[in-house]
Amino acid sequence: QVLYEKEIDFLEPAFDTGTFSLAYTLSESEATVPTRPNEDLLVPGRSRHSVLAGISLEKGKFAGGTSLAYQSYSLDDVGSSRGEDRFREEILALDANLRYSLNEDIEFAVNIFNITDHPERAYVGNSTRIVNNQFGSWAARLSVNANF
């Protein structure tokens, strides 16, 4: 696992602060299960490659940013044979957020999720046997946060 983070100082004075971050995780894990003792399987729910990149910026009472996340395919569920294993295809998601601090105690925020509208797709055994092909669309959340 590697994390790189850097202040983006060349954007001053347009922004008070800015940060770029990039994280990468490589998972070489394998599992064995009693029902298939002679096979080494991927660890269920764990992608081999995971990347997260983000930029955050602040100017006065405003703060915001964007993040891009990628996960390679993964084994979701172990079947009685390879042909019955359930896999989740790779995921790519772009999110963005913007916050405005009215004062120390009240903040307004908008978050937008899955801007790319990347589908959630799963298959059994091989990629031609799709069992889930869901386009969840994007979503937004408006919020007011208050400290008492």
Side-chain angles (χ1 to χ4, degrees):
Q1 187 172 22
V2 177
L3 171 65
Y4 173 78
E5 195 168 87
K6 170 126 176 79
E7 279 192 38
I8 308 172
D9 50 8
F10 65 86
L11 294 175
E12 294 175 6
F15 293 97
D16 297 337
T17 63
T19 305
F20 169 76
S21 62
L22 179 65
Y24 172 74
T25 303
L26 173 65
S27 177
E28 289 284 342
S29 302
E30 293 181 341
T32 56
V33 294
T35 55
R36 293 167 56 189
N38 298 327
E39 294 181 60
D40 289 329
L41 306 169
L42 298 172
V43 173
R46 182 172 292 171
S47 298
R48 182 170 184 193
H49 302 281
S50 177
V51 178
L52 180 61
I55 294 175
S56 61
L57 302 166
E58 290 187 29
K59 178 68 173 179
K61 294 184 175 204
F62 287 94
T66 186
S67 64
L68 180 67
Y70 168 80
Q71 287 186 323
S72 60
Y73 84 99
S74 67
L75 176 64
D76 269 357
D77 191 31
V78 178
S80 60
S81 68
R82 164 107 173 120
E84 293 178 9
D85 288 347
R86 183 181 172 121
F87 295 89
R88 179 185 35 81
E89 281 194 353
E90 63 185 17
I91 295 173
L92 182 67
L94 177 66
D95 301 334
N97 65 77
L98 179 64
R99 297 181 313 277
Y100 174 75
S101 296
L102 186 62
N103 55 42
E104 289 183 13
D105 296 324
I106 299 175
E107 177 182 86
F108 300 95
V110 60
N111 294 285
I112 305 172
F113 307 98
N114 194 25
I115 296 169
T116 55
D117 192 20
H118 191 80
E120 179 182 324
R121 189 172 291 137
Y123 56 88
V124 174
N126 66 59
S127 60
T128 62
R129 296 175 56 204
I130 296 172
V131 293
N132 184 22
N133 193 27
Q134 180 178 356
F135 285 82
S137 188
W138 61 273
R141 178 178 61 219
L142 300 172
S143 60
V144 176
N145 303 313
N147 294 320
F148 296 99

